[in-house]
Amino acid sequence: MDPLSLNLFTRAVEDVERTQYQVLAGLQKAQSAFGEQRVYPHLGRLVKLYGALTTILDRTENFRTPDTGRIAGVDWEEKALTYEWPDLDGCEMAEVEDLIRWALPHIRDVIEEGQTVYEQVEDSLELETVGIVPSYVQEGYLMVPHRDDEELNVLRYTLSLIEGEGETHRALKTVHCKTVPEVDIDANPSTIKLQLIEERRDLPNPATYFSKIARTVPYQETLLPVVKRRLVRQLAVETGGADARRQ
C-alpha cells in the first residue's frame, strides 16, 4: 500500500510530527525507486497527490460552507474533489493546512527527480513503424524488448477517446499477445508482423510499432509505461490530434 495518501494528511492532527516523518519516509522510498530507474507507480501517485493537495489548499474555504458540505473523495477522471475530511475544528484544520504547505515543496522536489529519470529514458527511446501505416491506427500491435530477459513482448493495443470538460483525452489499453525469445527474432520485425496477421485475422492490416532503447531499464516500472505514452503521442500525430505535442 502506498504510504503517501490523502488519508495520511487527514489524520495529521493526531500527531503532526509523526505525520511529517511518514511523509519524508514515503518520499525517500520514491527517491530510492527513481535511483533504480523505477519510475512507476511512484511518479504517477506523487503527481496525483500533489495535485489533490494543491486543489484542497486552493478551495478549502469553499468546502467549509454548509452548501458544499465536506470533501468526500477525489474523482481523478472528473478532476473533482469529493474527499470527506474528518470533523475538524478551526485550529485542527489550520494544522492540516500547515502540514500540506510544508509537504508540497518536498513532494515537488521528488516529482522533479522522477520526471528527470522519465525524460532520460524517453530521450533514449526510438519508436519505429513496421511496414506501411494504415489509415486505421486505433488498434494494432506494439513490440517492446525486455533486455534483461532477452525477450520481445508483443502487445495488442486499443486507443480510446475520452471526452470530458470540453477536452478529448486519449487512453491506451494493451493486452499481452506473446513473448518471443530474442534469439528467435529476425533482424526485420516485419516477420513478426506477418506472423501476427496469420495468427489473428481480425486485423488484416494492423498498425504495428517497434520500440528500441539503448539502455537497460526495468520493464514494468519504466520501459513499458514510457513506450505506451510515446505511442499515444505518435498516434495523435498520425491522426492529426491536437495533443500530439510532448507533455
Side-chain angles (χ1 to χ4, degrees), residues 4-238:
L4 293 178
S5 66
L6 285 177
N7 285 330
L8 183 63
F9 288 85
T10 64
R11 299 194 305 268
V13 292
E14 299 172 6
D15 191 333
V16 174
E17 185 175 347
R18 181 171 180 268
T19 302
Q20 288 179 318
Y21 173 81
Q22 291 174 314
V23 169
L24 293 177
L27 292 176
Q28 186 176 36
K29 181 179 179 180
Q31 285 179 301
S32 297
F34 296 154
E36 298 170 353
Q37 299 186 90
R38 292 186 290 112
V39 176
Y40 290 97
H42 300 284
L43 181 57
R45 289 174 177 172
L46 287 178
V47 169
K48 288 181 178 179
L49 177 62
Y50 186 88
L53 293 176
T54 301
T55 302
I56 287 170
L57 278 186
D58 291 342
R59 303 176 66 181
T60 294
E61 292 301 325
N62 292 335
F63 279 97
R64 284 176 177 169
T65 65
D67 293 336
T68 55
R70 294 179 300 174
I71 303 170
V74 177
D75 188 330
W76 302 114
E77 293 297 329
E78 298 298 330
K79 300 178 182 178
L81 284 176
T82 57
Y83 199 86
E84 183 175 356
W85 290 96
D87 292 322
L88 301 176
D89 60 31
C91 292
E92 291 173 329
M93 191 62 204
E95 287 186 354
V96 172
E97 292 172 10
D98 287 343
L99 176 66
I100 292 175
R101 292 188 182 92
W102 167 84
L104 285 175
H106 295 285
I107 298 173
R108 183 178 61 247
D109 289 345
V110 178
I111 287 175
E112 290 175 355
E113 291 182 29
Q115 289 174 332
T116 297
V117 176
Y118 180 99
E119 291 169 0
Q120 290 173 345
V121 173
E122 186 177 45
D123 288 343
S124 64
L125 175 71
E126 296 181 32
L127 189 63
E128 301 177 348
T129 57
V130 181
I132 299 175
V133 180
S135 58
Y136 179 73
V137 297
Q138 281 73 21
E139 289 181 272
Y141 297 104
L142 174 63
M143 303 179 193
V144 186
H146 188 186
R147 295 169 66 92
D148 285 346
D149 290 351
E150 298 183 337
E151 296 175 336
L152 180 74
N153 292 305
V154 180
L155 305 100
R156 179 164 175 166
Y157 75 82
T158 303
L159 182 70
S160 302
L161 299 180
I162 302 175
E163 301 285 345
E165 296 186 353
E167 297 181 355
T168 300
H169 303 276
R170 286 171 165 79
L172 189 77
K173 178 181 179 180
T174 58
V175 177
H176 184 270
C177 294
K178 64 179 180 178
T179 299
V180 182
E182 283 191 329
V183 294
D184 296 338
I185 298 174
D186 188 275
N188 190 345
S190 296
T191 301
I192 302 175
K193 179 178 180 178
L194 292 174
Q195 293 173 353
L196 291 169
I197 293 173
E198 288 295 320
E199 296 167 357
R200 300 165 182 265
R201 296 182 177 274
D202 61 317
L203 284 181
N205 183 28
T208 307
Y209 301 86
F210 181 83
S211 63
K212 296 194 301 184
I213 188 169
R215 61 196 296 174
T216 300
V217 296
Y219 179 81
Q220 290 288 349
E221 298 94 336
T222 304
L223 180 58
L224 183 58
V226 173
V227 172
K228 288 172 65 174
R229 189 165 181 181
R230 169 69 72 82
L231 178 58
V232 170
R233 288 205 307 275
Q234 178 71 21
L235 295 174
V237 170
E238 293 172 359

